[in-house]
Amino acid sequence: MDSEADSIARLKAGDIAGLAVLVDKYQVQAIRTAYLIVRDRSLAEDISQAAFIRAYERIGQFHPEASFGPWFMRSVANDAIKALERGRRTSSLDDDDGSTTALLDPANDPAAAFDQAEQAAAIWSLLDGLPAKQRAVIVLRYFVGLSDREIAEYLELPAATVRWRLHAARQRMRSWLPTRAD
């Protein structure tokens, strides 16, 4: 099996077969990231596929000293944000075919499925009210597990902007939660 560096070299030489290793390595993360932002599986798959094609077409712009993952995932996240801001194809939790739970939890423990579905519905309800850019940083931080620095790198933003968007999103979501009586 080729390494990531070998695959990139093959792509730069015009050999699209070099894309196979990169697809194997990043496809699940790309679809998951796009899905968690746009919440439409087929749209997330389209975004991911388009990002791989664009990576092939623009591999000449990739600098070998950089890491491919952030360069590629930035494209996925930005395309998902654009799709969400344009209002393209949204889906409802009422129409969920089970793919939401599978994408959120790869282990998909059947014993906890009911609790997970209930929690997922509450989380999606909160996320639906966020602007696309705030939703994206929440998804990248809490669902994809990136650090503030990695999110800043993925989205080509200053780290302070990422921290501000996270803070604003959390504040907005907290304001929507019912207050607890002590």
Side-chain angles (χ1 to χ4, degrees), residues 10-114:
R10 289 176 69 184
L11 287 175
K12 286 190 174 200
D15 182 3
I16 196 165
L19 198 57
V21 169
L22 302 174
V23 169
D24 286 344
K25 185 170 182 176
Y26 294 103
Q27 184 175 33
V28 171
Q29 184 180 12
I31 292 171
R32 182 176 291 147
T33 299
Y35 177 82
L36 290 169
I37 294 171
V38 300
R39 292 194 35 238
D40 180 307
R41 186 175 183 129
S42 63
L43 179 56
E45 290 170 350
D46 291 347
I47 289 168
S48 175
Q49 181 179 16
F52 280 112
I53 292 168
R54 197 170 34 263
Y56 168 69
E57 294 170 345
R58 297 181 182 170
I59 198 68
Q61 298 171 3
F62 176 73
H63 300 289
E65 64 277 356
S67 177
F68 181 81
W71 181 78
F72 175 70
M73 293 304 296
R74 176 175 34 255
S75 177
V76 172
N78 284 333
D79 287 351
I81 291 168
K82 288 175 193 170
L84 186 63
E85 287 179 336
R86 283 191 302 263
R88 289 178 42 195
R89 295 174 30 190
T90 59
S91 66
S92 167
L93 287 174
D94 297 333
D95 298 333
D96 188 319
D97 62 0
S99 62
T100 302
T101 304
L103 283 169
L104 290 176
D105 182 10
N108 198 13
D109 179 13
F114 180 76

Side-chain angles (χ1 to χ4, degrees), residues 122-123 125-127 129-130 134 138 142 163-180:
I123 290 168
S125 177
L126 292 172
L127 287 173
L130 293 176
Q134 288 180 4
I138 290 288
Y142 297 106
R163 287 189 299 273
W164 180 86
R165 286 183 184 172
L166 283 167
H167 172 76
R170 287 188 296 246
Q171 287 297 105
R172 179 176 257 168
M173 291 170 71
R174 272 189 206 112
S175 73
W176 297 330
L177 293 174
T179 56
R180 293 188 295 181

